[in-house]
Amino acid sequence: MYKKILNGFVDYPILTALFVTDFGILLFHRPPFLFSLLMLGGLMAYGMYMGQKLSLFKD
């Protein structure tokens, strides 16, 4: 399962870079409230996209 996740991150390097920077900004800084809501929405959309792409638990 972890190999499939890492391969998914390697296959989409631009989206992975956006995810890591967005997550880092939200984790280590305090952006304004509305901006942080937009960033959190972006993280959720990326997570749903990768969940559909990877299909981790599909037989």
Side-chain angles (χ1 to χ4, degrees), residues 9 12-20 46 49-50:
F9 282 143
Y12 303 102
I14 294 174
L15 292 177
T16 301
L18 287 173
F19 173 77
V20 169
Y46 178 75
Y49 173 76
M50 289 304 284

PDB file of all heavy atoms in Angstrom, residues 9 12-20 46 49-50:
ATOM      1  N   PHE A   9       2.768   9.734  -5.716  1.00  0.00           N
ATOM      2  CA  PHE A   9       3.409  11.030  -5.508  1.00  0.00           C
ATOM      3  C   PHE A   9       4.490  11.292  -6.554  1.00  0.00           C
ATOM      4  O   PHE A   9       4.665  12.406  -7.014  1.00  0.00           O
ATOM      5  CB  PHE A   9       4.017  11.126  -4.120  1.00  0.00           C
ATOM      6  CG  PHE A   9       3.017  11.394  -3.032  1.00  0.00           C
ATOM      7  CD1 PHE A   9       3.150  10.818  -1.787  1.00  0.00           C
ATOM      8  CD2 PHE A   9       1.932  12.227  -3.250  1.00  0.00           C
ATOM      9  CE1 PHE A   9       2.234  11.065  -0.787  1.00  0.00           C
ATOM     10  CE2 PHE A   9       1.008  12.488  -2.258  1.00  0.00           C
ATOM     11  CZ  PHE A   9       1.169  11.900  -1.022  1.00  0.00           C
ATOM     12  N   TYR A  12       3.023  12.327 -10.066  1.00  0.00           N
ATOM     13  CA  TYR A  12       2.457  13.676 -10.157  1.00  0.00           C
ATOM     14  C   TYR A  12       3.316  14.655  -9.354  1.00  0.00           C
ATOM     15  O   TYR A  12       2.917  15.115  -8.284  1.00  0.00           O
ATOM     16  CB  TYR A  12       1.025  13.691  -9.620  1.00  0.00           C
ATOM     17  CG  TYR A  12       0.121  12.716 -10.317  1.00  0.00           C
ATOM     18  CD1 TYR A  12      -0.216  11.505  -9.733  1.00  0.00           C
ATOM     19  CD2 TYR A  12      -0.393  13.003 -11.568  1.00  0.00           C
ATOM     20  CE1 TYR A  12      -1.045  10.609 -10.380  1.00  0.00           C
ATOM     21  CE2 TYR A  12      -1.227  12.121 -12.219  1.00  0.00           C
ATOM     22  CZ  TYR A  12      -1.546  10.919 -11.621  1.00  0.00           C
ATOM     23  OH  TYR A  12      -2.363  10.034 -12.266  1.00  0.00           O
ATOM     24  N   PRO A  13       4.506  15.023  -9.853  1.00  0.00           N
ATOM     25  CA  PRO A  13       5.421  15.841  -9.035  1.00  0.00           C
ATOM     26  C   PRO A  13       4.924  17.256  -8.769  1.00  0.00           C
ATOM     27  O   PRO A  13       5.170  17.795  -7.686  1.00  0.00           O
ATOM     28  CB  PRO A  13       6.716  15.852  -9.850  1.00  0.00           C
ATOM     29  CG  PRO A  13       6.301  15.560 -11.240  1.00  0.00           C
ATOM     30  CD  PRO A  13       5.081  14.679 -11.144  1.00  0.00           C
ATOM     31  N   ILE A  14       4.227  17.868  -9.711  1.00  0.00           N
ATOM     32  CA  ILE A  14       3.747  19.235  -9.482  1.00  0.00           C
ATOM     33  C   ILE A  14       2.666  19.239  -8.409  1.00  0.00           C
ATOM     34  O   ILE A  14       2.680  20.081  -7.505  1.00  0.00           O
ATOM     35  CB  ILE A  14       3.237  19.856 -10.798  1.00  0.00           C
ATOM     36  CG1 ILE A  14       4.400  20.045 -11.761  1.00  0.00           C
ATOM     37  CG2 ILE A  14       2.536  21.182 -10.535  1.00  0.00           C
ATOM     38  CD1 ILE A  14       4.013  20.516 -13.125  1.00  0.00           C
ATOM     39  N   LEU A  15       1.745  18.293  -8.476  1.00  0.00           N
ATOM     40  CA  LEU A  15       0.691  18.213  -7.460  1.00  0.00           C
ATOM     41  C   LEU A  15       1.272  17.857  -6.099  1.00  0.00           C
ATOM     42  O   LEU A  15       0.804  18.346  -5.070  1.00  0.00           O
ATOM     43  CB  LEU A  15      -0.357  17.188  -7.874  1.00  0.00           C
ATOM     44  CG  LEU A  15      -1.193  17.555  -9.091  1.00  0.00           C
ATOM     45  CD1 LEU A  15      -2.154  16.428  -9.438  1.00  0.00           C
ATOM     46  CD2 LEU A  15      -1.951  18.837  -8.854  1.00  0.00           C
ATOM     47  N   THR A  16       2.301  17.019  -6.087  1.00  0.00           N
ATOM     48  CA  THR A  16       2.941  16.666  -4.824  1.00  0.00           C
ATOM     49  C   THR A  16       3.623  17.883  -4.206  1.00  0.00           C
ATOM     50  O   THR A  16       3.535  18.104  -2.996  1.00  0.00           O
ATOM     51  CB  THR A  16       3.958  15.540  -5.048  1.00  0.00           C
ATOM     52  OG1 THR A  16       3.279  14.416  -5.605  1.00  0.00           O
ATOM     53  CG2 THR A  16       4.614  15.138  -3.753  1.00  0.00           C
ATOM     54  N   ALA A  17       4.294  18.684  -5.036  1.00  0.00           N
ATOM     55  CA  ALA A  17       4.949  19.886  -4.525  1.00  0.00           C
ATOM     56  C   ALA A  17       3.912  20.861  -3.969  1.00  0.00           C
ATOM     57  O   ALA A  17       4.132  21.468  -2.913  1.00  0.00           O
ATOM     58  CB  ALA A  17       5.764  20.545  -5.628  1.00  0.00           C
ATOM     59  N   LEU A  18       2.792  21.018  -4.663  1.00  0.00           N
ATOM     60  CA  LEU A  18       1.722  21.886  -4.155  1.00  0.00           C
ATOM     61  C   LEU A  18       1.173  21.367  -2.830  1.00  0.00           C
ATOM     62  O   LEU A  18       0.916  22.138  -1.904  1.00  0.00           O
ATOM     63  CB  LEU A  18       0.598  21.996  -5.179  1.00  0.00           C
ATOM     64  CG  LEU A  18       0.899  22.836  -6.404  1.00  0.00           C
ATOM     65  CD1 LEU A  18      -0.242  22.708  -7.404  1.00  0.00           C
ATOM     66  CD2 LEU A  18       1.102  24.272  -6.012  1.00  0.00           C
ATOM     67  N   PHE A  19       0.996  20.059  -2.725  1.00  0.00           N
ATOM     68  CA  PHE A  19       0.496  19.469  -1.497  1.00  0.00           C
ATOM     69  C   PHE A  19       1.448  19.706  -0.330  1.00  0.00           C
ATOM     70  O   PHE A  19       1.035  20.112   0.751  1.00  0.00           O
ATOM     71  CB  PHE A  19       0.271  17.963  -1.695  1.00  0.00           C
ATOM     72  CG  PHE A  19      -0.082  17.236  -0.442  1.00  0.00           C
ATOM     73  CD1 PHE A  19      -1.362  17.329   0.077  1.00  0.00           C
ATOM     74  CD2 PHE A  19       0.847  16.470   0.228  1.00  0.00           C
ATOM     75  CE1 PHE A  19      -1.704  16.658   1.241  1.00  0.00           C
ATOM     76  CE2 PHE A  19       0.523  15.799   1.378  1.00  0.00           C
ATOM     77  CZ  PHE A  19      -0.761  15.891   1.888  1.00  0.00           C
ATOM     78  N   VAL A  20       2.724  19.468  -0.560  1.00  0.00           N
ATOM     79  CA  VAL A  20       3.715  19.616   0.516  1.00  0.00           C
ATOM     80  C   VAL A  20       3.835  21.071   0.956  1.00  0.00           C
ATOM     81  O   VAL A  20       3.864  21.361   2.160  1.00  0.00           O
ATOM     82  CB  VAL A  20       5.077  19.052   0.064  1.00  0.00           C
ATOM     83  CG1 VAL A  20       6.187  19.408   1.029  1.00  0.00           C
ATOM     84  CG2 VAL A  20       4.990  17.545  -0.090  1.00  0.00           C
ATOM     85  N   TYR A  46      -7.269  17.791  -3.214  1.00  0.00           N
ATOM     86  CA  TYR A  46      -6.130  16.994  -3.647  1.00  0.00           C
ATOM     87  C   TYR A  46      -6.206  15.587  -3.059  1.00  0.00           C
ATOM     88  O   TYR A  46      -5.920  14.604  -3.746  1.00  0.00           O
ATOM     89  CB  TYR A  46      -4.822  17.668  -3.238  1.00  0.00           C
ATOM     90  CG  TYR A  46      -3.612  16.857  -3.622  1.00  0.00           C
ATOM     91  CD1 TYR A  46      -3.195  16.798  -4.940  1.00  0.00           C
ATOM     92  CD2 TYR A  46      -2.902  16.138  -2.672  1.00  0.00           C
ATOM     93  CE1 TYR A  46      -2.093  16.048  -5.296  1.00  0.00           C
ATOM     94  CE2 TYR A  46      -1.803  15.384  -3.017  1.00  0.00           C
ATOM     95  CZ  TYR A  46      -1.403  15.343  -4.331  1.00  0.00           C
ATOM     96  OH  TYR A  46      -0.329  14.580  -4.677  1.00  0.00           O
ATOM     97  N   TYR A  49      -8.752  13.664  -4.971  1.00  0.00           N
ATOM     98  CA  TYR A  49      -8.244  13.349  -6.306  1.00  0.00           C
ATOM     99  C   TYR A  49      -7.280  12.162  -6.250  1.00  0.00           C
ATOM    100  O   TYR A  49      -7.385  11.221  -7.044  1.00  0.00           O
ATOM    101  CB  TYR A  49      -7.546  14.571  -6.899  1.00  0.00           C
ATOM    102  CG  TYR A  49      -6.838  14.298  -8.191  1.00  0.00           C
ATOM    103  CD1 TYR A  49      -7.556  14.160  -9.374  1.00  0.00           C
ATOM    104  CD2 TYR A  49      -5.453  14.174  -8.242  1.00  0.00           C
ATOM    105  CE1 TYR A  49      -6.912  13.905 -10.573  1.00  0.00           C
ATOM    106  CE2 TYR A  49      -4.800  13.919  -9.427  1.00  0.00           C
ATOM    107  CZ  TYR A  49      -5.536  13.780 -10.592  1.00  0.00           C
ATOM    108  OH  TYR A  49      -4.896  13.531 -11.768  1.00  0.00           O
ATOM    109  N   MET A  50      -6.332  12.209  -5.312  1.00  0.00           N
ATOM    110  CA  MET A  50      -5.371  11.120  -5.203  1.00  0.00           C
ATOM    111  C   MET A  50      -6.044   9.829  -4.745  1.00  0.00           C
ATOM    112  O   MET A  50      -5.648   8.743  -5.149  1.00  0.00           O
ATOM    113  CB  MET A  50      -4.228  11.494  -4.256  1.00  0.00           C
ATOM    114  CG  MET A  50      -3.298  12.540  -4.818  1.00  0.00           C
ATOM    115  SD  MET A  50      -2.576  12.103  -6.403  1.00  0.00           S
ATOM    116  CE  MET A  50      -1.347  10.931  -5.913  1.00  0.00           C
TER     117      MET A  50
END
